Each structure stands twice: as structure tokens, then as C-alpha cells.
Amino acid sequence: MIIELPHTTTGAINKRLIDSRKEGGVITLARVMTLVIDATGADAEQAIATANVASREHPCRIIVIAPGTASEARLDAEIRVGGDAGASEVVVLRPCGDQIGHDDTLVTPLLLPDAPIVVWWPAGVPSDLGKRSLGRMAQRRITDTKGESDPAGVLLGLAHCYRPGDTDLAWTRLTRWRALMAAALDQVKVPEVTLARLHGDTNSPSILLLGAWLRSTLGCEIVATYDDSVAALENVVLETPSGSIEISRPDGHNATIRQPGQPDHQIALPARSLEEALAEELRRLDADAVYGEVLAAFAEDTAVPL
């Protein structure tokens, strides 16, 4: 069900939310957080669809800010509940004119009481997350540097303004790769890595972050190559005194793992969807200290070409 509220106020939105719960029997006690989506410059419907899928695992109130195009100062809104809101309730705010730019004022009256706040920017990475009006109120701040024209420059900016609670979905997409590499290294006689070769999509922030992580944790040299024809990280080779460890995923779905003294074996390693990456980040509300350390390592290594 979608409830249209043109020329409205946050007070009227709150009242209509309460009424809709009474009418539809929505249980607000099941909501574990408020997810605020700054959809400025993004496809708001795609962001809502992504959040709806993630909210099936993490029921929450979703508040979407999608500025309108009208010149007059007004606030239009939608409330989506039931089948139109996944496992959550969605409030879409469309400020126009002078209402634009007052995100915290619009959002604050609609926050769930005593619940954590997560902010997600699906498009466009703000220059300083913690100083943004939405960023100041959030426990977690989620960006996505994939698709940025200058991912190295954006990551450097994130490193310089990092605060506990910041994270990026380009880092989240590496979770399974990092787990596989750690498990493979545990099985070689001499787990010292002298060289890491990375291959994947052009302008990949994930490869930049993975290189910084490997260099900071293993102290090895990094060689990265890129291919316009692939869409994600495709191949990692770790050179050790015991031989090479290779994880290769040419089809984007299944990985072949080659280790010294062992037969090759395959494991399912599908590319992470945006919904899966967001859901993973919503599972944790504590700071990702490793991500902060990797950003710092990347900033130190910016003079070293990857």
C-alpha cells in the first residue's frame, strides 16, 4: 500500500504512520533500526528496492530523501507499508525549493525512538561523512565507491575524514575473498607472501582496498592488472616460498582454488549483489576497525602505484 501525502509536514507524516499501523496491524516493535537513504543524485526506486530486500533480514524503518524538482518550498511524501515495503515501512520524503538541504530537520521527527541509525548514500560519496547533517546522527555511515570515476581519489578522501562507523560496500564485497585467502594461507608450510597479483575490473575500488589490505597485513609487493571486459575481481595469486596460491573466478560465480601440494577444487563464490552487500553491513552496528586500518594504509601507499 502506498499513501500519497502532497504538501505535507513531518507531523502529518508521523500521524499517518500511526494510523496506517492501526489499520494494517504493522508491529513496530520488530523494527531494529532506522535506515536513512540519501538518494540525492541516485535512482530512488532502485535504492528503495535494494533496501527492501535487505530489510527482510533486518526489519527497519526506511526513510528516503529524494529531492523534488519544483521551485516552490514544500514537502511531498509517500508512506509505503505491506507488500510495497518489503519487511519494513518506507517513508519517501521529496523536499522542494527551500526545503532541500535540511535533511536532519526532516528526518529527526521520523526516527524510531531508541533505535540505531544507519545512513546509506547509494550514489555520490560525500566529502566528509561525519560532518554531514545525516552523518552526525548515525552510528553507521555506508558509501559505495564502485562506479566513481576516480576511486583512488575518493578513497583517499574517505581515509582523511574516516570516523569509526564509516564503511564502504567496495570493502564489503571482499569479505569472502579475504576469508578464502586466509584459509588457504593456513594450509601452506611457509605462509609468507612475497608477491600478490590481483586482476579484475577497471577502476575497481575493491582491488585498491584489497591491495592495501594485503600490503599492510602481509608486507608483500602488489601487482594489479585491469580488464574492461570483466565486472568484478577475477583472480588473486599469492606467491609464497611453498608455491603459488591462486583463487580464480573467471565466470563470476564459481572459484577454482589452487594450492601447493593439493588438487584443485572449486567453491561457489558468486559476485555479491548490492542487496547482499547492504544486508551484510546492516548486520553489524559496531565500527569496522579493519576497514579504517585499510583506508589508513591506502593513504600511506598512494605514492606506490597499484
Side-chain angles (χ1 to χ4, degrees):
M1 178 174 65
I2 299 179
I3 303 167
E4 300 279 356
L5 297 171
H7 292 267
T8 189
T9 64
T10 53
I13 296 170
N14 249 326
K15 184 178 183 303
R16 194 64 185 87
L17 276 169
I18 294 171
D19 292 342
S20 67
R21 288 197 294 270
K22 290 178 180 177
E23 295 165 5
V26 178
I27 303 174
T28 58
L29 293 179
R31 306 302 189 246
V32 298
M33 70 181 74
T34 302
L35 173 61
V36 181
I37 303 174
D38 184 349
T40 305
D43 184 331
E45 291 302 323
Q46 181 181 16
I48 293 169
T50 299
N52 276 338
V53 173
S55 73
R56 298 183 189 279
E57 184 178 340
H58 315 282
C60 55
R61 173 177 289 177
I62 300 171
I63 303 174
V64 184
I65 300 175
T69 57
S71 59
E72 63 178 301
R74 75 168 194 255
L75 175 64
D76 298 332
E78 294 175 5
I79 296 175
R80 304 184 185 186
V81 294
D84 295 299
S88 302
E89 54 191 4
V90 179
V91 179
V92 183
L93 303 176
R94 302 188 187 278
C96 300
D98 292 343
Q99 292 278 351
I100 296 174
H102 302 283
D103 299 342
D104 53 343
T105 303
L106 295 175
V107 166
T108 299
L110 302 173
L111 298 173
L112 291 175
D114 303 319
I117 303 166
V118 179
V119 179
W120 173 39
W121 289 269
V125 178
S127 56
D128 193 332
L129 307 182
K131 288 186 177 180
R132 302 284 292 219
S133 59
L134 294 178
R136 286 195 299 268
M137 65 173 63
Q139 283 74 44
R140 295 297 309 280
R141 293 165 292 275
I142 303 172
T143 56
D144 192 354
T145 50
K146 185 173 183 177
E148 294 286 335
S149 59
D150 179 18
V154 174
L155 288 174
L156 186 59
L158 289 173
H160 288 159
C161 67
Y162 172 80
R163 290 173 178 82
D166 294 352
T167 196
D168 191 88
L169 297 182
W171 172 248
T172 313
R173 295 182 182 99
L174 294 171
T175 300
R176 295 174 183 171
W177 283 90
R178 293 190 294 123
L180 283 178
M181 283 183 274
L185 282 172
D186 283 342
Q187 299 181 45
V188 298
K189 293 181 179 179
V190 184
E192 177 188 352
V193 177
T194 56
L195 175 66
R197 301 182 186 275
L198 315 177
H199 181 74
D201 51 323
T202 304
N203 274 347
S204 169
S206 292
I207 292 179
L208 297 177
L209 290 170
L210 182 58
W213 178 66
L214 289 170
R215 189 157 44 222
S216 64
T217 56
L218 301 176
C220 61
E221 180 185 351
I222 306 295
V223 175
T225 56
Y226 301 93
D227 188 339
D228 290 339
S229 66
V230 301
L233 181 61
E234 185 176 84
N235 187 265
V236 174
V237 179
L238 305 178
E239 303 284 355
T240 78
S242 303
S244 297
I245 297 170
E246 181 178 4
I247 303 173
S248 179
R249 187 187 62 180
D251 64 357
H253 299 283
N254 300 297
T256 300
I257 303 177
R258 300 179 177 87
Q259 300 167 266
Q262 297 187 32
D264 296 353
H265 63 280
Q266 286 194 328
I267 185 171
L269 187 63
R272 308 290 299 276
S273 68
L274 183 59
E275 293 84 356
E276 290 172 324
L278 180 62
E280 178 179 325
E281 286 304 328
L282 295 182
R283 288 187 199 113
R284 58 178 305 167
L285 294 175
D286 58 321
D288 188 343
V290 177
Y291 169 70
E293 293 167 0
V294 168
L295 275 183
F298 175 78
E300 293 177 0
D301 293 338
T302 49
V304 180
L306 286 179

